[in-house]
Amino acid sequence: MAEKILVTGGAGYIGSHCVLELLQAGYVPVVIDNFHNAIRGSEELPESLRRVQDIVHQPVLFQELDITDEAALQELFRKHRFSAVMHFAGLKAVGESVQKPLEYYRVNLTGTIRLLETMKAHGVRNIVFSSSATVYGDPKYLPLDEKHPVGGCTNPYGKSKFFIEEMIRDLCKAEKDWNAVLLRYFNPIGAHESGMIGEDPQGIPNNLMPYVAQVAVGRREFLSVFGNDYKTDDGTGVRDYIHVVDLAKGHIAALKKLKENCGCKVYNLGTGTGYSVLQMVRAMEKASGREIKYRITARREGDVASCYADPALAERELGWKAAFGLDKMCEDLWRWQLQNPTGFSKN
Ligand code: WQD
């Protein structure tokens, strides 16, 4: 009998790529999303999931639901027998979190607590949590391994990820029948090779590569490079960019880990290689054949010079390693952007 997996926030960029991998791995994903960061498609399905259906030629079970709505969560868990939960739902804009801390803690923390309580009430005690390398704060050493201190986060978004990690860790300590895998993402970029799903930021992209792709496709005039006076080879910020499909496959590996009654485990999902902003600009010019104009501007508040992963633990314990290199990440990003200049929305 195929295992049913609840995917919260599964209409988003990472979530939709994980839904696709779940279907291809023979699981039955049940997706909930409140459309906070997703475009409505037809048949009341988010457009991203309608396209996942087209790619894998299988129906996607979806229900519009907000994870802070306790009654709706209870109803959902009465309707389905889940073997595990993949939890993506939450607010995720770093800058916005500084302006609206209470909103971020209400949604991300209260939503997660309601989800965990409902899981417990229905005997579902297996969770994969979408965490972030941002929990490491300013790196004390590089590459970052899972032993690096956490909690020095500089913004409410990152703190909410750290607090949720701690809540889940404490729950697993108190109740030994819980299993949790906390996945610390580095910088997910790119898109499924079909070019049909990808990252579709609403408004001006906060993150580098969606912005670079929009410059390449002519939607933005130039990129602002946030500082070139960092202690890095070319002075611009260095990050560990990982293909979103590699990241999604890491979630399938994490599901298998839960089966080992693993308790609470934490893994970095990164490639172990760092690239600078200017290296990413050049890689995108190569993939797109377009010139990407940029201007050096002031540093962005809260940015660190370099951040990249030691991915060895996930390779050792999950049997997972990122397979795609920078060229593939940029080629797949370009295909998505070129085929969808305005993302999932038509205009
Ligand atoms: C990458 C590099 C910028 C935009 C953030 C969150 C993290 C995670 C991933 C959610 C940096 C530079 C960027 C631009 C630029 N999000 N940059 N011009 O800051 O490493 O991580 O996104 O989980 O939690 O903190 O990613 O893509 O914003 O920046 O020069 O217009 O690109 O300074 O060096 P970041 P990013």
Side-chain angles (χ1 to χ4, degrees):
M1 172 77 164
E3 290 181 54
K4 246 182 198 181
I5 309 293
L6 172 60
V7 184
T8 76
Y13 171 46
I14 314 288
S16 57
H17 282 84
C18 287
V19 169
L20 190 149
E21 295 301 326
L22 282 167
L23 287 165
Q24 291 188 325
Y27 292 94
V28 176
V30 176
V31 184
I32 58 172
D33 202 296
N34 69 353
F35 284 95
H36 176 82
N37 196 20
I39 302 288
R40 285 184 193 282
S42 58
E43 320 122 39
E44 279 312 293
L45 259 186
E47 180 58 17
S48 57
L49 297 180
R50 202 189 58 73
R51 297 191 187 190
V52 167
Q53 283 187 153
D54 289 350
I55 296 168
V56 295
H57 309 296
Q58 292 179 59
V60 173
L61 299 175
F62 173 77
Q63 188 174 326
E64 183 172 357
L65 195 153
D66 188 311
I67 55 165
T68 59
D69 180 345
E70 206 162 356
L73 274 177
Q74 290 288 353
E75 179 58 35
L76 183 81
F77 274 76
R78 274 194 286 275
K79 209 161 103 185
H80 298 282
R81 183 100 200 85
F82 298 117
S83 73
V85 175
M86 257 188 208
H87 180 32
F88 299 100
L91 301 175
K92 54 142 282 185
V94 171
E96 185 188 52
S97 77
V98 177
Q99 313 307 324
K100 304 178 180 172
L102 209 47
E103 175 73 358
Y104 270 68
Y105 292 133
R106 183 184 67 79
V107 172
N108 294 4
L109 300 187
T110 312
T112 301
I113 290 168
R114 298 239 158 96
L115 173 69
L116 292 169
E117 287 174 332
T118 310
M119 289 173 68
K120 181 180 161 96
H122 293 264
V124 181
R125 294 184 174 77
N126 293 313
I127 184 166
V128 176
F129 173 59
S130 163
S131 189
S132 167
T134 203
V135 301
Y136 290 119
D138 199 341
K140 307 261 177 303
Y141 59 80
L142 289 170
L144 286 165
D145 59 22
E146 291 81 353
K147 292 192 187 68
H148 185 283
V150 291
C153 320
T154 53
N155 57 75
Y157 160 76
K159 287 178 191 172
S160 72
K161 289 293 186 185
F162 169 62
F163 295 152
I164 293 168
E165 283 199 4
E166 290 300 294
M167 291 194 309
I168 294 173
R169 197 190 308 278
D170 288 340
L171 177 56
C172 291
K173 260 188 217 131
E175 300 180 20
K176 298 300 178 202
D177 52 356
W178 278 82
N179 300 297
V181 174
L182 314 177
L183 297 175
R184 291 176 181 161
Y185 304 166
F186 280 71
N187 290 60
I189 64 166
H192 184 262
E193 61 187 5
S194 64
M196 290 170 63
I197 56 173
E199 188 169 12
D200 180 18
Q202 302 309 299
I204 301 173
N206 298 310
N207 295 130
L208 176 68
M209 290 311 277
Y211 200 107
V212 166
Q214 288 187 11
V215 172
V217 84
R219 205 170 144 191
R220 307 258 173 216
E221 200 192 333
F222 63 88
L223 168 75
S224 299
V225 175
F226 298 151
N228 67 345
D229 57 351
Y230 286 103
K231 284 192 177 44
T232 61
D233 288 355
D234 63 19
T236 62
V238 170
R239 297 291 185 276
D240 183 332
Y241 297 95
I242 176 171
H243 197 296
V244 65
V245 171
D246 271 330
L247 192 88
K249 291 180 187 300
H251 288 70
I252 305 302
L255 273 185
K256 296 191 173 90
K257 190 70 183 173
L258 292 172
K259 289 270 177 222
E260 298 173 16
N261 284 322
C262 60
C264 186
K265 293 283 186 186
V266 185
Y267 299 103
N268 289 336
L269 292 189
T271 65
T273 303
Y275 289 108
S276 75
V277 175
L278 294 182
Q279 283 177 301
M280 297 306 283
V281 168
R282 275 194 292 281
M284 204 53 193
E285 287 184 327
K286 181 179 161 197
S288 66
R290 308 276 179 97
E291 185 202 4
I292 293 163
K293 287 191 174 59
Y294 65 85
R295 286 185 195 154
I296 306 293
T297 62
R299 289 183 173 193
R300 180 174 63 180
E301 184 67 30
D303 273 355
V304 299
S306 294
C307 176
Y308 52 92
D310 174 344
L313 191 63
E315 184 174 358
R316 200 162 54 247
E317 295 193 3
L318 296 183
W320 169 90
K321 183 175 166 53
F324 297 141
L326 183 57
D327 286 348
K328 168 88 169 143
M329 291 183 222
C330 291
E331 284 155 17
D332 290 350
L333 170 57
W334 178 237
R335 189 177 309 107
W336 151 254
Q337 189 68 81
L338 192 60
Q339 288 176 189
N340 304 274
T342 56
F344 288 117
S345 42
K346 294 275 176 294
N347 46 7

